[in-house]
Each structure stands twice: as structure tokens, then as C-alpha cells.
Amino acid sequence: MQKELTKKNERVEEVFHLFIKHIQGFLEEAKLNHEEYTNFVNWADRLGRTGEFPLYADVFLETHVLKAMYTEKPGTQPSLLGPYFIEGSPLIEAEPGKPLVLTQRPDEAGEVLYFKGNVSNVDGKKLANTRVEMWHNDASRKYSAFDSDAPRYNFRGHFYTDENGDFEVKSIVPLPYSIPTDGPTGEFLEYTDQHPMRPAHLHLMFEAEGHETLITQVFFEGDEYLETDVADGVRLDLLTNLIDKGDHKEASLNFVMRTL
């Protein structure tokens, strides 16, 4: 146990030394005067006090970490967990011969979506009984449990793949939305002349024994914000087509998990 703690402490020390080194390098390169430095510190302080640091990190930092870690690796590319994930979603079970139905209100607005997927691993094995967590925004472009008046677990739930690694979920088509702009993160976007929009997407998290947890998102071809996603979370292998079936839309995507 002592060796493990020592190793963790050494890693923390290594990371923080690098952090200070590069922050000092940034300050030297930027050639800030004292007023600019003070304004920067005050902005960073407000970022923390308003609870927006996780939002800022999701939008401007996490995607670069993921790209550095996974771009050259086999398997489905991960994307952002995002600030709107919550624990404790309900288990969704399907009636025989019918798709799963993601938790929603009886009179839910929006285009009906049937989303199909298959889960396998990098060795080609179909992954039965994989736990799949799914969540997305509603027709008001809001997420339940945050800025929405919907029930806490609206458009949230978890379920399991069948014996072939397949699943099908009935929900609605999510919509593009703006990240919060009334705080320090919004100020940063204004300073850098960036828009706050994210393309429409589904959030999915896959967990299977002996495999690395896959946290990713699914995007839709034709979305106007695909190339300018404020969070830079779009990956080519996470794109799918929305097929118009008259009274509903259909989409599908296969997912490949990495073994531990």
C-alpha cells in the first residue's frame, strides 16, 4: 500500500511540475503586463466560483486529451462525457419484439427516432449483455436535471445489449444547442469570437467486463455545426445518417470496444 501511495504521489508531483512549467512558459510567451495578468487571475477565479470549470474543461481541454490518447488506436473513438451526465438513470427493458423506449413523457415533443446499434470488440467478438447508458436533450434543446423543467431522468436510461450485441432504442431526434454563455466561459467565447453551439448528438457510455469503458457521442450528417462544434467533439466514425421513414426517423451505428 505504501509503495502504491508513493507511486501516486510521484505522479502527482510530476504532473504538477509540468503544469507549472507550461503555465510559466505561457505567461512568458504571452508577455502579459500586470493588469492583464490580474484580469486573467480574476477571470479564472470566477470560472471556479461559478462552477464553470468542468464546462470550460469539457469544451476546450478534454477533446484534445482524447485525441492524443485514442486517434491512432483501433476501436470507436471516444468523445466528451459532457457536463450533463448524471448518475442513477433507470433501467430500460423492452417488451418482446419491441424496441427499448428511452424514459420520456407521454406527450413528448420532437421527431420520433429509432436508433439501432451493435457492440463488438477490436477482436471482432460480439459483446452480449453490455451495459449501455444513453442520454440527450429534448425538443427545448435542454437536458433534464439541469436547465429543463422535465422530470430528472427524462431522455436518460441504461439497458443491455442482446445475445448478438445488438440494441434498438425509441426516442426523439436531439437538437443542436448552445452551451451556457452568461458566465466566464461565455466571456471567453466572446473574446475569441467563437459561437457557443454544439451539433445535435446522442450521448452513449458502454461498459463490458474485460473492456475499457467507452464514452462517446453520435452525430448526424448534415448538421450545420459539425465542422464548427464549439467543443470539437465530432469524429468521422461517430457520424450517421438520419433516414426519413415518414412518421419517424431511423439511424444506426456500430461500436467497437477496446480490451483491457
Side-chain angles (χ1 to χ4, degrees), residues 66-80 214-217 219 233-238 254-256 258:
L66 294 174
K67 282 183 176 180
M69 292 175 64
Y70 291 103
T71 297
E72 301 302 322
K73 291 184 178 181
T76 297
Q77 290 293 299
S79 192
L80 314 173
L214 172 62
I215 300 170
T216 196
Q217 299 177 13
F219 302 90
V234 179
R235 311 285 186 267
L236 291 179
D237 65 343
L238 303 181
N254 294 332
F255 303 90
V256 181
R258 299 169 187 82

mmCIF file of all heavy atoms in Angstrom, residues 66-80 214-217 219 233-238 254-256 258:
data_model
loop_
_atom_site.group_PDB
_atom_site.id
_atom_site.type_symbol
_atom_site.label_atom_id
_atom_site.label_comp_id
_atom_site.label_asym_id
_atom_site.label_seq_id
_atom_site.Cartn_x
_atom_site.Cartn_y
_atom_site.Cartn_z
ATOM 1 N N LEU A 66 -8.412 13.412 -25.394
ATOM 2 C CA LEU A 66 -8.936 12.205 -26.027
ATOM 3 C C LEU A 66 -8.299 11.949 -27.386
ATOM 4 O O LEU A 66 -7.968 10.809 -27.727
ATOM 5 C CB LEU A 66 -10.459 12.311 -26.174
ATOM 6 C CG LEU A 66 -11.255 12.340 -24.868
ATOM 7 C CD1 LEU A 66 -12.727 12.596 -25.156
ATOM 8 C CD2 LEU A 66 -11.075 11.051 -24.086
ATOM 9 N N LYS A 67 -8.133 13.009 -28.167
ATOM 10 C CA LYS A 67 -7.500 12.839 -29.481
ATOM 11 C C LYS A 67 -6.072 12.336 -29.332
ATOM 12 O O LYS A 67 -5.621 11.453 -30.075
ATOM 13 C CB LYS A 67 -7.515 14.171 -30.243
ATOM 14 C CG LYS A 67 -8.854 14.513 -30.870
ATOM 15 C CD LYS A 67 -8.751 15.805 -31.667
ATOM 16 C CE LYS A 67 -10.053 16.108 -32.390
ATOM 17 N NZ LYS A 67 -9.977 17.362 -33.186
ATOM 18 N N ALA A 68 -5.352 12.889 -28.372
ATOM 19 C CA ALA A 68 -3.962 12.481 -28.157
ATOM 20 C C ALA A 68 -3.871 11.018 -27.733
ATOM 21 O O ALA A 68 -2.947 10.293 -28.107
ATOM 22 C CB ALA A 68 -3.313 13.374 -27.101
ATOM 23 N N MET A 69 -4.847 10.563 -26.953
ATOM 24 C CA MET A 69 -4.819 9.205 -26.425
ATOM 25 C C MET A 69 -5.304 8.158 -27.416
ATOM 26 O O MET A 69 -4.803 7.028 -27.429
ATOM 27 C CB MET A 69 -5.679 9.124 -25.156
ATOM 28 C CG MET A 69 -5.132 9.877 -23.965
ATOM 29 S SD MET A 69 -6.300 9.845 -22.571
ATOM 30 C CE MET A 69 -6.344 8.082 -22.204
ATOM 31 N N TYR A 70 -6.312 8.496 -28.276
ATOM 32 C CA TYR A 70 -7.022 7.451 -28.989
ATOM 33 C C TYR A 70 -7.005 7.521 -30.507
ATOM 34 O O TYR A 70 -7.400 6.556 -31.166
ATOM 35 C CB TYR A 70 -8.491 7.446 -28.536
ATOM 36 C CG TYR A 70 -8.663 6.973 -27.116
ATOM 37 C CD1 TYR A 70 -8.888 7.878 -26.087
ATOM 38 C CD2 TYR A 70 -8.579 5.620 -26.804
ATOM 39 C CE1 TYR A 70 -9.044 7.447 -24.773
ATOM 40 C CE2 TYR A 70 -8.740 5.176 -25.505
ATOM 41 C CZ TYR A 70 -8.972 6.090 -24.487
ATOM 42 O OH TYR A 70 -9.109 5.659 -23.205
ATOM 43 N N THR A 71 -6.570 8.610 -31.093
ATOM 44 C CA THR A 71 -6.675 8.752 -32.541
ATOM 45 C C THR A 71 -6.004 7.608 -33.294
ATOM 46 O O THR A 71 -6.507 7.140 -34.322
ATOM 47 C CB THR A 71 -6.093 10.100 -32.998
ATOM 48 O OG1 THR A 71 -6.874 11.152 -32.427
ATOM 49 C CG2 THR A 71 -6.141 10.226 -34.513
ATOM 50 N N GLU A 72 -4.879 7.128 -32.803
ATOM 51 C CA GLU A 72 -4.139 6.080 -33.504
ATOM 52 C C GLU A 72 -4.509 4.675 -33.037
ATOM 53 O O GLU A 72 -3.941 3.697 -33.525
ATOM 54 C CB GLU A 72 -2.638 6.304 -33.308
ATOM 55 C CG GLU A 72 -2.124 7.647 -33.803
ATOM 56 C CD GLU A 72 -2.409 7.876 -35.284
ATOM 57 O OE1 GLU A 72 -2.310 6.894 -36.052
ATOM 58 O OE2 GLU A 72 -2.728 9.015 -35.671
ATOM 59 N N LYS A 73 -5.450 4.559 -32.120
ATOM 60 C CA LYS A 73 -5.814 3.244 -31.596
ATOM 61 C C LYS A 73 -7.030 2.684 -32.326
ATOM 62 O O LYS A 73 -7.881 3.429 -32.786
ATOM 63 C CB LYS A 73 -6.120 3.334 -30.093
ATOM 64 C CG LYS A 73 -4.902 3.623 -29.233
ATOM 65 C CD LYS A 73 -5.276 3.600 -27.753
ATOM 66 C CE LYS A 73 -4.055 3.836 -26.881
ATOM 67 N NZ LYS A 73 -4.392 3.804 -25.436
ATOM 68 N N PRO A 74 -7.125 1.345 -32.417
ATOM 69 C CA PRO A 74 -8.318 0.741 -33.031
ATOM 70 C C PRO A 74 -9.523 0.907 -32.113
ATOM 71 O O PRO A 74 -9.385 1.191 -30.921
ATOM 72 C CB PRO A 74 -7.931 -0.730 -33.166
ATOM 73 C CG PRO A 74 -6.939 -0.951 -32.073
ATOM 74 C CD PRO A 74 -6.151 0.329 -31.962
ATOM 75 N N GLY A 75 -10.701 0.729 -32.678
ATOM 76 C CA GLY A 75 -11.911 0.850 -31.887
ATOM 77 C C GLY A 75 -12.599 2.185 -32.100
ATOM 78 O O GLY A 75 -12.043 3.107 -32.694
ATOM 79 N N THR A 76 -13.816 2.286 -31.614
ATOM 80 C CA THR A 76 -14.592 3.518 -31.746
ATOM 81 C C THR A 76 -13.931 4.646 -30.976
ATOM 82 O O THR A 76 -13.502 4.471 -29.837
ATOM 83 C CB THR A 76 -16.027 3.301 -31.229
ATOM 84 O OG1 THR A 76 -16.659 2.314 -32.030
ATOM 85 C CG2 THR A 76 -16.833 4.589 -31.278
ATOM 86 N N GLN A 77 -13.858 5.812 -31.599
ATOM 87 C CA GLN A 77 -13.247 6.963 -30.942
ATOM 88 C C GLN A 77 -14.149 7.471 -29.816
ATOM 89 O O GLN A 77 -15.363 7.595 -29.992
ATOM 90 C CB GLN A 77 -13.041 8.091 -31.950
ATOM 91 C CG GLN A 77 -11.965 7.805 -32.976
ATOM 92 C CD GLN A 77 -10.585 7.752 -32.342
ATOM 93 O OE1 GLN A 77 -10.121 8.730 -31.764
ATOM 94 N NE2 GLN A 77 -9.931 6.610 -32.438
ATOM 95 N N PRO A 78 -13.580 7.762 -28.660
ATOM 96 C CA PRO A 78 -14.379 8.364 -27.597
ATOM 97 C C PRO A 78 -14.648 9.831 -27.889
ATOM 98 O O PRO A 78 -13.967 10.446 -28.708
ATOM 99 C CB PRO A 78 -13.493 8.206 -26.354
ATOM 100 C CG PRO A 78 -12.094 8.198 -26.899
ATOM 101 C CD PRO A 78 -12.190 7.546 -28.252
ATOM 102 N N SER A 79 -15.647 10.374 -27.239
ATOM 103 C CA SER A 79 -15.908 11.800 -27.282
ATOM 104 C C SER A 79 -16.260 12.240 -25.868
ATOM 105 O O SER A 79 -16.170 11.462 -24.923
ATOM 106 C CB SER A 79 -17.025 12.129 -28.269
ATOM 107 O OG SER A 79 -17.090 13.533 -28.517
ATOM 108 N N LEU A 80 -16.661 13.480 -25.705
ATOM 109 C CA LEU A 80 -16.810 14.069 -24.380
ATOM 110 C C LEU A 80 -17.906 13.418 -23.554
ATOM 111 O O LEU A 80 -18.988 13.122 -24.066
ATOM 112 C CB LEU A 80 -17.146 15.560 -24.518
ATOM 113 C CG LEU A 80 -16.301 16.366 -25.505
ATOM 114 C CD1 LEU A 80 -16.876 17.764 -25.656
ATOM 115 C CD2 LEU A 80 -14.864 16.431 -25.043
ATOM 116 N N LEU A 214 -16.222 2.761 -22.803
ATOM 117 C CA LEU A 214 -16.265 3.657 -23.962
ATOM 118 C C LEU A 214 -17.313 4.729 -23.726
ATOM 119 O O LEU A 214 -18.498 4.429 -23.566
ATOM 120 C CB LEU A 214 -16.605 2.860 -25.225
ATOM 121 C CG LEU A 214 -16.883 3.676 -26.495
ATOM 122 C CD1 LEU A 214 -15.658 4.492 -26.906
ATOM 123 C CD2 LEU A 214 -17.351 2.761 -27.631
ATOM 124 N N ILE A 215 -16.884 5.978 -23.674
ATOM 125 C CA ILE A 215 -17.779 7.126 -23.554
ATOM 126 C C ILE A 215 -17.708 7.887 -24.862
ATOM 127 O O ILE A 215 -16.632 8.339 -25.271
ATOM 128 C CB ILE A 215 -17.359 8.040 -22.389
ATOM 129 C CG1 ILE A 215 -17.397 7.275 -21.067
ATOM 130 C CG2 ILE A 215 -18.265 9.277 -22.319
ATOM 131 C CD1 ILE A 215 -16.781 8.028 -19.905
ATOM 132 N N THR A 216 -18.824 8.035 -25.537
ATOM 133 C CA THR A 216 -18.775 8.642 -26.855
ATOM 134 C C THR A 216 -20.075 9.365 -27.183
ATOM 135 O O THR A 216 -20.993 9.429 -26.358
ATOM 136 C CB THR A 216 -18.425 7.574 -27.918
ATOM 137 O OG1 THR A 216 -18.024 8.211 -29.118
ATOM 138 C CG2 THR A 216 -19.590 6.640 -28.170
ATOM 139 N N GLN A 217 -20.143 9.929 -28.380
ATOM 140 C CA GLN A 217 -21.318 10.644 -28.845
ATOM 141 C C GLN A 217 -21.602 10.231 -30.287
ATOM 142 O O GLN A 217 -20.687 9.793 -30.999
ATOM 143 C CB GLN A 217 -21.111 12.165 -28.767
ATOM 144 C CG GLN A 217 -20.854 12.666 -27.358
ATOM 145 C CD GLN A 217 -20.575 14.159 -27.280
ATOM 146 O OE1 GLN A 217 -20.790 14.897 -28.241
ATOM 147 N NE2 GLN A 217 -20.088 14.615 -26.138
ATOM 148 N N PHE A 219 -23.282 11.690 -33.890
ATOM 149 C CA PHE A 219 -23.678 12.911 -34.597
ATOM 150 C C PHE A 219 -24.384 12.541 -35.899
ATOM 151 O O PHE A 219 -24.276 11.411 -36.378
ATOM 152 C CB PHE A 219 -22.452 13.773 -34.890
ATOM 153 C CG PHE A 219 -21.681 14.157 -33.653
ATOM 154 C CD1 PHE A 219 -20.658 13.342 -33.182
ATOM 155 C CD2 PHE A 219 -21.987 15.313 -32.961
ATOM 156 C CE1 PHE A 219 -19.956 13.689 -32.035
ATOM 157 C CE2 PHE A 219 -21.293 15.663 -31.816
ATOM 158 C CZ PHE A 219 -20.275 14.852 -31.353
ATOM 159 N N GLY A 233 -15.903 18.061 -30.591
ATOM 160 C CA GLY A 233 -16.117 16.677 -30.196
ATOM 161 C C GLY A 233 -16.483 15.737 -31.320
ATOM 162 O O GLY A 233 -16.612 14.531 -31.108
ATOM 163 N N VAL A 234 -16.648 16.247 -32.541
ATOM 164 C CA VAL A 234 -17.085 15.411 -33.659
ATOM 165 C C VAL A 234 -15.923 14.559 -34.172
ATOM 166 O O VAL A 234 -14.809 15.056 -34.356
ATOM 167 C CB VAL A 234 -17.639 16.277 -34.807
ATOM 168 C CG1 VAL A 234 -18.079 15.396 -35.976
ATOM 169 C CG2 VAL A 234 -18.802 17.136 -34.314
ATOM 170 N N ARG A 235 -16.196 13.272 -34.398
ATOM 171 C CA ARG A 235 -15.232 12.364 -35.017
ATOM 172 C C ARG A 235 -15.913 11.730 -36.233
ATOM 173 O O ARG A 235 -17.113 11.446 -36.203
ATOM 174 C CB ARG A 235 -14.814 11.258 -34.050
ATOM 175 C CG ARG A 235 -14.400 11.736 -32.667
ATOM 176 C CD ARG A 235 -13.022 12.379 -32.664
ATOM 177 N NE ARG A 235 -12.627 12.692 -31.305
ATOM 178 C CZ ARG A 235 -12.828 13.863 -30.701
ATOM 179 N NH1 ARG A 235 -13.437 14.847 -31.366
ATOM 180 N NH2 ARG A 235 -12.437 14.075 -29.465
ATOM 181 N N LEU A 236 -15.153 11.484 -37.286
ATOM 182 C CA LEU A 236 -15.747 10.957 -38.511
ATOM 183 C C LEU A 236 -16.448 9.627 -38.284
ATOM 184 O O LEU A 236 -17.494 9.357 -38.891
ATOM 185 C CB LEU A 236 -14.675 10.811 -39.593
ATOM 186 C CG LEU A 236 -14.100 12.126 -40.147
ATOM 187 C CD1 LEU A 236 -13.027 11.834 -41.189
ATOM 188 C CD2 LEU A 236 -15.205 12.988 -40.752
ATOM 189 N N ASP A 237 -15.890 8.763 -37.411
ATOM 190 C CA ASP A 237 -16.519 7.460 -37.214
ATOM 191 C C ASP A 237 -17.705 7.518 -36.259
ATOM 192 O O ASP A 237 -18.303 6.488 -35.953
ATOM 193 C CB ASP A 237 -15.493 6.421 -36.746
ATOM 194 C CG ASP A 237 -14.911 6.710 -35.377
ATOM 195 O OD1 ASP A 237 -15.032 7.848 -34.909
ATOM 196 O OD2 ASP A 237 -14.338 5.777 -34.768
ATOM 197 N N LEU A 238 -18.079 8.717 -35.835
ATOM 198 C CA LEU A 238 -19.256 8.878 -34.975
ATOM 199 C C LEU A 238 -20.427 9.504 -35.726
ATOM 200 O O LEU A 238 -21.440 9.861 -35.123
ATOM 201 C CB LEU A 238 -18.908 9.748 -33.751
ATOM 202 C CG LEU A 238 -17.760 9.244 -32.881
ATOM 203 C CD1 LEU A 238 -17.542 10.179 -31.704
ATOM 204 C CD2 LEU A 238 -18.018 7.813 -32.401
ATOM 205 N N ASN A 254 -22.455 1.235 -35.383
ATOM 206 C CA ASN A 254 -21.839 0.141 -34.654
ATOM 207 C C ASN A 254 -20.700 0.681 -33.794
ATOM 208 O O ASN A 254 -20.036 1.652 -34.168
ATOM 209 C CB ASN A 254 -21.323 -0.937 -35.607
ATOM 210 C CG ASN A 254 -22.464 -1.621 -36.346
ATOM 211 O OD1 ASN A 254 -23.584 -1.697 -35.846
ATOM 212 N ND2 ASN A 254 -22.189 -2.113 -37.543
ATOM 213 N N PHE A 255 -20.460 0.024 -32.677
ATOM 214 C CA PHE A 255 -19.466 0.478 -31.716
ATOM 215 C C PHE A 255 -18.482 -0.643 -31.407
ATOM 216 O O PHE A 255 -18.885 -1.809 -31.244
ATOM 217 C CB PHE A 255 -20.156 0.937 -30.429
ATOM 218 C CG PHE A 255 -21.173 2.019 -30.661
ATOM 219 C CD1 PHE A 255 -22.498 1.689 -30.933
ATOM 220 C CD2 PHE A 255 -20.808 3.353 -30.637
ATOM 221 C CE1 PHE A 255 -23.450 2.690 -31.165
ATOM 222 C CE2 PHE A 255 -21.744 4.358 -30.873
ATOM 223 C CZ PHE A 255 -23.068 4.005 -31.126
ATOM 224 N N VAL A 256 -17.200 -0.288 -31.339
ATOM 225 C CA VAL A 256 -16.150 -1.265 -31.107
ATOM 226 C C VAL A 256 -15.370 -0.888 -29.860
ATOM 227 O O VAL A 256 -14.784 0.204 -29.784
ATOM 228 C CB VAL A 256 -15.203 -1.352 -32.325
ATOM 229 C CG1 VAL A 256 -14.114 -2.394 -32.069
ATOM 230 C CG2 VAL A 256 -15.978 -1.712 -33.595
ATOM 231 N N ARG A 258 -12.444 -1.508 -26.762
ATOM 232 C CA ARG A 258 -11.066 -1.957 -26.601
ATOM 233 C C ARG A 258 -10.951 -2.884 -25.403
ATOM 234 O O ARG A 258 -11.521 -2.606 -24.345
ATOM 235 C CB ARG A 258 -10.134 -0.758 -26.419
ATOM 236 C CG ARG A 258 -10.138 0.185 -27.608
ATOM 237 C CD ARG A 258 -9.424 1.501 -27.300
ATOM 238 N NE ARG A 258 -9.595 2.424 -28.406
ATOM 239 C CZ ARG A 258 -10.685 3.184 -28.576
ATOM 240 N NH1 ARG A 258 -11.660 3.149 -27.683
ATOM 241 N NH2 ARG A 258 -10.794 3.980 -29.616
#
